[in-house]
Amino acid sequence: MRNTAVILIPALIIPTLLADKGKNYAKENVCQGLKDIGIEKFKEIVTVLYSQKFPNGTFQEVSCVADEMTKLAEKCCKDDASPDCYDKGATEISEKSCGKDSPFPKHPGIEQCCTLLGQERKLCLASLRYTADELPSLTEPTNEEICTKYTKDEKDYSVRYVYEFARRHRNIPAGFVLNATQNHVRMAERCCRPAIKNSCFLQERLQMRSSNIFLKFLSNVCNNQVNLKSFKFGLSAYYGNLLGLSFEEASAMSGRFHYGLEKCCLKPQPECIIEELTSFQKVLCDESNLNAMSEDFQKCCKKPALDTLLCVDDLKRQPRQSPDVANPVSSKLCEEAQPHGIDRYLFLTGVNHASISLPVLTTVLDRIKNTVTACCSSADITTCLTEKESKLKKTQALLSKLDDTCSRYFRLDLPAVKTLMQKEVQGEGGEKRTQAWLDLAISCCSQRSPAQLCQKLTEDVIKYDDDTV
């Protein structure tokens, strides 16, 4: 893959992120990072990390906390700084976060953290994670807009772009964000002076194209991993469908991919995720299985590792017929003698659906999993499953309907899809239900759909489906 060289972040430890490692450990790593990259680059990285952590914060609020953390590091990493300088400063910043008129971002859940004291408060603040819907993608400005803002104030343009880009990519390693933003600023630097050069912008954008595509892919899979409750089950069904794998093969494949994402998506350093994805490509393209795969898949495996994953992600899934899901659901699913019984049931439920995206599929599978798991924990498993049989059948039928809806959405134009939905959705509240289905189709049929939004839209459709008799 061209242009995927990334800025390698030292083991930079922001105290409010890894306060549990110990006071001296935090200070030593921050000071080493500051020494390695210098104060300006250090502040850029801090700005990325806090823009990702507080995507709801204003530019001024995020800049304020980034300034405070940078000043703290600069002050306490001097040779003559007192041993407790860093810990005292970090405590003062956590206290400032809890102040009534705090200039820092207002994070959901911060009030609960502020009832704690000392190290417990810092640990609580560090664990906060923003979970609201994804922000819309950053609109690409025109060449003229870039140059007008850049030439007016180069430094301000750079830090604002870092903030806007980072808050829209909050679940990927900060090094990728920093790399992308610095590529953008470099483009402005090269193409805006002495005058706007459109040919220069075209050349720069072409050079960044492949790395930008990879960044979108990475952002999507990391968002799924962080936000989807039963992501691993959705992944198993996805790989089972895409590659024609058995339950055991698909589970091993999805488990390997899920492990790498879980381990690396939220680490600032990009090396971890690159190593994991490269390793996963070797599993995906294992020569012992390659001959049984489609010609298109084999072509993907001839590409460099990261390009392979993008290529495979773009492959069209085909409907397949796996063995029917057991109806009624047997209590054997819950028996210890049936290892992975529920996992297998979810795989068989989801693997036949080739048109819906992972966020939609995973949301429905999570609902099924919760129903079956609750019965497995009940005093009378068989009675519980019998009582829930109609609910499970209805949810499976809904999954098929979602798959059909997305299949039609890809084949027909939007007015035709809306007309068909209006005919199918009759009765009280028909207009609202039609709109719910239409919103889901528009936003969530694409494979790289936003995880949190599509969970909500799928749950809306499920709610309307539950309300119908």
Side-chain angles (χ1 to χ4, degrees), residues 140-151:
E140 183 67 22
T142 65
N143 299 345
E144 290 75 15
E145 288 170 337
I146 291 173
C147 290
T148 298
K149 293 178 181 178
Y150 177 75
T151 54

PDB file of all heavy atoms in Angstrom, residues 140-151:
ATOM      1  N   GLU A 140     -14.603  17.898   2.810  1.00  0.00           N
ATOM      2  CA  GLU A 140     -13.358  18.340   2.177  1.00  0.00           C
ATOM      3  C   GLU A 140     -13.543  19.750   1.625  1.00  0.00           C
ATOM      4  O   GLU A 140     -14.379  19.991   0.755  1.00  0.00           O
ATOM      5  CB  GLU A 140     -12.978  17.385   1.046  1.00  0.00           C
ATOM      6  CG  GLU A 140     -11.655  17.712   0.372  1.00  0.00           C
ATOM      7  CD  GLU A 140     -10.452  17.514   1.288  1.00  0.00           C
ATOM      8  OE1 GLU A 140     -10.552  16.761   2.277  1.00  0.00           O
ATOM      9  OE2 GLU A 140      -9.417  18.117   1.005  1.00  0.00           O
ATOM     10  N   PRO A 141     -12.793  20.727   2.140  1.00  0.00           N
ATOM     11  CA  PRO A 141     -12.932  22.098   1.636  1.00  0.00           C
ATOM     12  C   PRO A 141     -12.340  22.245   0.238  1.00  0.00           C
ATOM     13  O   PRO A 141     -11.555  21.398  -0.216  1.00  0.00           O
ATOM     14  CB  PRO A 141     -12.131  22.918   2.646  1.00  0.00           C
ATOM     15  CG  PRO A 141     -11.139  21.954   3.230  1.00  0.00           C
ATOM     16  CD  PRO A 141     -11.786  20.608   3.204  1.00  0.00           C
ATOM     17  N   THR A 142     -12.732  23.315  -0.447  1.00  0.00           N
ATOM     18  CA  THR A 142     -12.173  23.582  -1.774  1.00  0.00           C
ATOM     19  C   THR A 142     -10.726  24.046  -1.625  1.00  0.00           C
ATOM     20  O   THR A 142     -10.287  24.443  -0.534  1.00  0.00           O
ATOM     21  CB  THR A 142     -12.976  24.683  -2.486  1.00  0.00           C
ATOM     22  OG1 THR A 142     -12.826  25.915  -1.748  1.00  0.00           O
ATOM     23  CG2 THR A 142     -14.455  24.320  -2.573  1.00  0.00           C
ATOM     24  N   ASN A 143     -10.005  24.023  -2.727  1.00  0.00           N
ATOM     25  CA  ASN A 143      -8.617  24.494  -2.706  1.00  0.00           C
ATOM     26  C   ASN A 143      -8.541  25.942  -2.227  1.00  0.00           C
ATOM     27  O   ASN A 143      -7.654  26.309  -1.442  1.00  0.00           O
ATOM     28  CB  ASN A 143      -8.000  24.377  -4.099  1.00  0.00           C
ATOM     29  CG  ASN A 143      -7.971  22.942  -4.594  1.00  0.00           C
ATOM     30  OD1 ASN A 143      -8.153  21.998  -3.813  1.00  0.00           O
ATOM     31  ND2 ASN A 143      -7.769  22.751  -5.891  1.00  0.00           N
ATOM     32  N   GLU A 144      -9.473  26.753  -2.692  1.00  0.00           N
ATOM     33  CA  GLU A 144      -9.488  28.164  -2.312  1.00  0.00           C
ATOM     34  C   GLU A 144      -9.744  28.328  -0.811  1.00  0.00           C
ATOM     35  O   GLU A 144      -9.110  29.166  -0.150  1.00  0.00           O
ATOM     36  CB  GLU A 144     -10.562  28.922  -3.106  1.00  0.00           C
ATOM     37  CG  GLU A 144     -10.263  29.087  -4.591  1.00  0.00           C
ATOM     38  CD  GLU A 144     -10.460  27.800  -5.388  1.00  0.00           C
ATOM     39  OE1 GLU A 144     -11.094  26.846  -4.856  1.00  0.00           O
ATOM     40  OE2 GLU A 144      -9.951  27.737  -6.532  1.00  0.00           O
ATOM     41  N   GLU A 145     -10.670  27.535  -0.273  1.00  0.00           N
ATOM     42  CA  GLU A 145     -10.971  27.627   1.162  1.00  0.00           C
ATOM     43  C   GLU A 145      -9.770  27.214   2.002  1.00  0.00           C
ATOM     44  O   GLU A 145      -9.466  27.839   3.028  1.00  0.00           O
ATOM     45  CB  GLU A 145     -12.180  26.745   1.492  1.00  0.00           C
ATOM     46  CG  GLU A 145     -13.508  27.291   0.982  1.00  0.00           C
ATOM     47  CD  GLU A 145     -14.652  26.295   1.114  1.00  0.00           C
ATOM     48  OE1 GLU A 145     -14.378  25.079   1.170  1.00  0.00           O
ATOM     49  OE2 GLU A 145     -15.809  26.738   1.152  1.00  0.00           O
ATOM     50  N   ILE A 146      -9.093  26.153   1.575  1.00  0.00           N
ATOM     51  CA  ILE A 146      -7.891  25.710   2.292  1.00  0.00           C
ATOM     52  C   ILE A 146      -6.858  26.826   2.329  1.00  0.00           C
ATOM     53  O   ILE A 146      -6.313  27.173   3.387  1.00  0.00           O
ATOM     54  CB  ILE A 146      -7.297  24.449   1.637  1.00  0.00           C
ATOM     55  CG1 ILE A 146      -8.216  23.252   1.854  1.00  0.00           C
ATOM     56  CG2 ILE A 146      -5.906  24.144   2.208  1.00  0.00           C
ATOM     57  CD1 ILE A 146      -7.786  22.000   1.107  1.00  0.00           C
ATOM     58  N   CYS A 147      -6.591  27.411   1.184  1.00  0.00           N
ATOM     59  CA  CYS A 147      -5.523  28.414   1.094  1.00  0.00           C
ATOM     60  C   CYS A 147      -5.879  29.703   1.822  1.00  0.00           C
ATOM     61  O   CYS A 147      -5.019  30.346   2.425  1.00  0.00           O
ATOM     62  CB  CYS A 147      -5.199  28.702  -0.376  1.00  0.00           C
ATOM     63  SG  CYS A 147      -4.361  27.316  -1.195  1.00  0.00           S
ATOM     64  N   THR A 148      -7.148  30.087   1.781  1.00  0.00           N
ATOM     65  CA  THR A 148      -7.573  31.299   2.486  1.00  0.00           C
ATOM     66  C   THR A 148      -7.328  31.146   3.984  1.00  0.00           C
ATOM     67  O   THR A 148      -6.758  32.047   4.634  1.00  0.00           O
ATOM     68  CB  THR A 148      -9.062  31.590   2.225  1.00  0.00           C
ATOM     69  OG1 THR A 148      -9.257  31.813   0.831  1.00  0.00           O
ATOM     70  CG2 THR A 148      -9.517  32.819   3.000  1.00  0.00           C
ATOM     71  N   LYS A 149      -7.743  30.010   4.552  1.00  0.00           N
ATOM     72  CA  LYS A 149      -7.577  29.792   5.985  1.00  0.00           C
ATOM     73  C   LYS A 149      -6.122  29.538   6.359  1.00  0.00           C
ATOM     74  O   LYS A 149      -5.641  30.014   7.396  1.00  0.00           O
ATOM     75  CB  LYS A 149      -8.446  28.610   6.434  1.00  0.00           C
ATOM     76  CG  LYS A 149      -9.943  28.886   6.344  1.00  0.00           C
ATOM     77  CD  LYS A 149     -10.752  27.664   6.750  1.00  0.00           C
ATOM     78  CE  LYS A 149     -12.252  27.934   6.632  1.00  0.00           C
ATOM     79  NZ  LYS A 149     -13.059  26.740   6.975  1.00  0.00           N
ATOM     80  N   TYR A 150      -5.423  28.804   5.510  1.00  0.00           N
ATOM     81  CA  TYR A 150      -4.038  28.449   5.828  1.00  0.00           C
ATOM     82  C   TYR A 150      -3.126  29.678   5.797  1.00  0.00           C
ATOM     83  O   TYR A 150      -2.305  29.869   6.700  1.00  0.00           O
ATOM     84  CB  TYR A 150      -3.532  27.386   4.852  1.00  0.00           C
ATOM     85  CG  TYR A 150      -2.086  27.010   5.074  1.00  0.00           C
ATOM     86  CD1 TYR A 150      -1.734  26.209   6.156  1.00  0.00           C
ATOM     87  CD2 TYR A 150      -1.078  27.468   4.225  1.00  0.00           C
ATOM     88  CE1 TYR A 150      -0.402  25.868   6.391  1.00  0.00           C
ATOM     89  CE2 TYR A 150       0.248  27.135   4.451  1.00  0.00           C
ATOM     90  CZ  TYR A 150       0.581  26.339   5.526  1.00  0.00           C
ATOM     91  OH  TYR A 150       1.891  26.012   5.753  1.00  0.00           O
ATOM     92  N   THR A 151      -3.255  30.493   4.786  1.00  0.00           N
ATOM     93  CA  THR A 151      -2.382  31.661   4.674  1.00  0.00           C
ATOM     94  C   THR A 151      -2.709  32.728   5.715  1.00  0.00           C
ATOM     95  O   THR A 151      -1.865  33.552   6.056  1.00  0.00           O
ATOM     96  CB  THR A 151      -2.464  32.281   3.259  1.00  0.00           C
ATOM     97  OG1 THR A 151      -3.845  32.555   2.944  1.00  0.00           O
ATOM     98  CG2 THR A 151      -1.902  31.327   2.224  1.00  0.00           C
TER      99      THR A 151
END
